[in-house]
Amino acid sequence: AMGWLPDTKDTRDSITRTLRRYNAETISNPVPGIFRAIRTLYDANNPNMKMGIYVFGDEFSTSESADQVMRTLDQLNPADENGHRKIVINAIGFPTTIRYTFSMGNTGLRLANLMREVCYIHGGTFIALQDL
């Protein structure tokens, strides 16, 4: 079951251990996780609910187009009459695949382009790291 993790030292230590052991050779696509977080964690019945999503990634490797992603996000997180959205989406792009664009099919550039647009439209910030 998906839910909020408690903000404790043990939780943070567990996240750090997991990230250090993470297999960097996997195919990455943050989009299903973004959609799932919105669908399962956002409580539309709570008028005071605000939510921030933070994406950390290096690839957008899927046949799904950026336009398809943007349309779905607009349905899941619509703007109000003033253009504000209840869920803010932020992202940090790692440069790990951009160095190998010829062999990796530009998946790192696809992530940067997608997240720059998603963050702009959904009120967040995109940061592209030049080096790790």
Side-chain angles (χ1 to χ4, degrees):
M2 189 171 190
W4 296 105
L5 297 174
D7 185 13
T8 65
K9 182 178 179 340
D10 286 343
T11 299
R12 290 175 184 225
D13 289 347
S14 175
I15 291 168
T16 301
R17 278 192 308 276
T18 301
L19 287 173
R20 285 187 180 137
R21 290 190 305 242
Y22 191 74
N23 179 1
E25 299 301 318
T26 61
I27 295 173
S28 302
N29 179 6
V31 174
I34 296 168
F35 292 169
R36 185 174 179 206
I38 293 171
R39 287 178 176 131
T40 60
L41 295 174
Y42 184 75
D43 181 2
N45 296 320
N46 180 349
N48 298 317
M49 173 106 186
K50 291 188 179 182
M51 183 172 150
I53 294 177
Y54 296 83
V55 176
F56 298 84
D58 63 352
E59 289 187 279
F60 174 48
S61 55
T62 176
S63 61
E64 189 173 22
S65 74
D67 287 341
Q68 289 171 303
V69 173
M70 298 303 292
R71 282 193 302 274
T72 302
L73 280 175
D74 197 47
Q75 293 169 355
L76 292 172
N77 189 32
D80 66 15
E81 60 278 356
N82 298 317
H84 298 107
R85 298 173 192 264
K86 297 209 180 229
I87 301 168
V88 174
I89 302 174
N90 303 278
I92 295 178
F94 298 115
T96 48
T97 60
I98 291 177
R99 294 183 191 137
Y100 311 106
T101 55
F102 296 112
S103 64
M104 299 295 287
N106 292 321
T107 57
L109 294 175
R110 286 187 75 213
L111 176 88
N113 290 334
L114 174 68
M115 288 296 111
R116 185 178 63 243
E117 189 73 13
V118 165
C119 293
Y120 176 75
I121 290 173
H122 293 269
T125 301
F126 173 64
I127 298 171
L129 299 179
Q130 293 182 334
D131 203 0
L132 292 176

